[in-house]
Amino acid sequence: INAEYGACLVGQYKHKSIMSNYIRCKRINQTIFLYFEPNDKVSNLAEKLSKIVEKSSEDIKFYFGQNTLDASKTAQEVKIENDSVVYFGYKKAGDEWETIEEVKR
């Protein structure tokens, strides 16, 4: 096994995998696994998620713990690590957003 590259030998074939970081994006009864890099901005994560949930990235807000994540910060700056659970909510009418309590139910 070559841990540096995530490669291992399977039988007579050499299998090479990419060491990847994933977060679990949760909302009510949904869980979406999203690939990320530590230097990805939260706004980039919203953009990736928007393509899956078919909502505008501007209409997605992330929560980590009880904190709302700043879209201009990187995943590393807000302490998101591999296999972290991040909740997401949508924008409601006007300037209101779904709360962490609403998306955790």
Side-chain angles (χ1 to χ4, degrees):
I1 296 178
N2 182 335
E4 181 180 0
Y5 297 106
C8 63
L9 293 174
V10 179
Q12 58 181 307
Y13 301 100
K14 185 175 180 181
H15 174 69
K16 193 172 187 179
S17 63
I18 299 171
M19 303 301 271
S20 301
N21 293 310
Y22 287 88
I23 55 174
R24 297 171 197 232
C25 299
K26 293 187 166 205
R27 178 180 182 277
I28 306 174
N29 61 353
Q30 293 178 301
T31 299
I32 298 168
F33 291 82
L34 197 65
Y35 168 77
F36 79 100
E37 292 291 336
N39 62 344
D40 282 346
K41 291 191 182 251
V42 173
S43 60
N44 295 109
L45 300 178
E47 185 64 36
K48 290 178 186 181
L49 185 62
S50 73
K51 293 175 183 172
I52 297 168
V53 298
E54 298 178 344
K55 295 270 188 184
S56 168
S57 61
E58 290 85 23
D59 292 340
I60 297 172
K61 184 179 278 193
F62 287 106
Y63 302 97
F64 188 50
Q66 291 297 316
N67 300 316
T68 301
L69 297 183
D70 181 339
S72 67
K73 302 271 185 180
T74 65
Q76 188 171 20
E77 289 173 322
V78 296
K79 311 287 191 240
I80 293 176
E81 298 175 346
N82 187 41
D83 206 28
S84 291
V85 175
V86 177
Y87 288 88
F88 66 98
Y90 297 135
K91 189 172 187 177
K92 295 180 178 181
D95 289 334
E96 286 188 52
W97 290 87
E98 292 178 323
T99 65
I100 184 71
E101 292 78 19
E102 290 174 300
V103 299
K104 274 188 156 183
R105 50 181 157 114

